[in-house]
Amino acid sequence: MSTTFQLDTATSRANPTPAPMKRLTVPAIRQRKKDGMTAEPVVMLTAYTARQAQLLDAHCDLLLVGDSLGQVIYGLPSSVPVTLDMMIAHGAAVVRGSYHAAVVVDMPFGTYEQSPEQAFASASRVLKETGCAAIKLEGGEAMAPTVAFLTQRGIPVMGHVGLTPQAVNVLGGYNARGRNEAEAAKIVGDAKALADAGAFAIVIEGVVEPIAIAITQAVPCPTIGIGASAQCDGQVLVTEDMLGMFERVPRFVKVYENIADVISGAAARYAAEVRDRSFPGIEQTYQPRAPKA
Ligand code: KIV
């Protein structure tokens, strides 16, 4: 399905053309995995803006408003400083720009870890103010009571185990996790605890491949890998990474296009044309209308 968007000038709403299919739901994503098998892998990409969501929507089952926007959009050193208000503003934009994919919004660091009640207060704001379908939070066994608390109160939760970037200050960096037996067992246990608590899907990030395979076989809900394994039930990438927006590319990213070169090439041509006064040309300027006869 390819959807284009036309602006209705009366309402300022972007209307899709043609009318798209019904938006995917959390239960539909959860049911992709039946008896341990996922016939159709779950496709997820990050999106942070309305226009980006419009372009990705038709191709994805899930759009993730990741707190990676801290680094990608705001130039922050990590996702730790990202606030709930930032996530809500971008989450609402992505919901406005999409009609097909279910939108999941990340809970930022410090807005859910203290207690299930704190998590409910933050997550209910995210759902109310963005219109998203679900939230995602990082952490394993320690977060399982919170996942149960939220799901039992109407908030679908996507889990996130393995390399959990919000814990960078504890982990000491972004290296792959699970290289020793104890850590591997802990990560598998984390994923099982989240699934038992009611997570509808679990992101597995930055782990040695056998861990991702073990989790995918062990949990009934879909697993979504990033730096994990092709055997996960789905995959996610940060869109700007796979579009080649940054010089540094993590090993697990496949660069599908080099948009950084396209943007800087276009800016260079524009700058040259401004400097030699060939822009704007006659096509880009308004001329007086010829007097009526
Ligand atoms: O914040 C994010 O973009 C994420 C993905 C990398 C899974 O959590």
Side-chain angles (χ1 to χ4, degrees), residues 269-287:
R269 290 199 305 280
Y270 164 75
E273 290 187 9
V274 170
R275 289 185 181 117
D276 71 14
R277 298 190 189 280
S278 60
F279 175 83
I282 189 81
E283 305 83 359
Q284 291 96 25
T285 48
Y286 298 99
Q287 304 303 324

Side-chain angles (χ1 to χ4, degrees), residues 46 48 64 66-68 106 136 138 160 203 205 226 236 238:
T46 60
Y48 313 121
L64 172 66
D67 62 353
S68 51
D106 251 340
K136 174 166 85 56
E138 295 185 10
H160 185 154
V203 167
E205 176 168 1
I226 173 163
V236 59
V238 170

Side-chain angles (χ1 to χ4, degrees), residues 1 3-6 13-24 53-54 57-58 63 94-103:
M1 181 185 77
T3 308
T4 58
F5 290 76
Q6 282 171 359
R13 290 247 340 140
N15 291 326
T17 315
M21 62 182 79
K22 209 169 152 261
R23 201 189 272 278
L24 279 165
Q54 288 169 356
D57 188 36
L63 291 175
V94 169
V95 170
R96 283 195 295 272
S98 61
Y99 291 84
H100 162 250
V103 177

Side-chain angles (χ1 to χ4, degrees), residues 218-231:
V219 300
C221 62
T223 59
I224 302 179
I226 173 163
S229 171
Q231 290 191 42

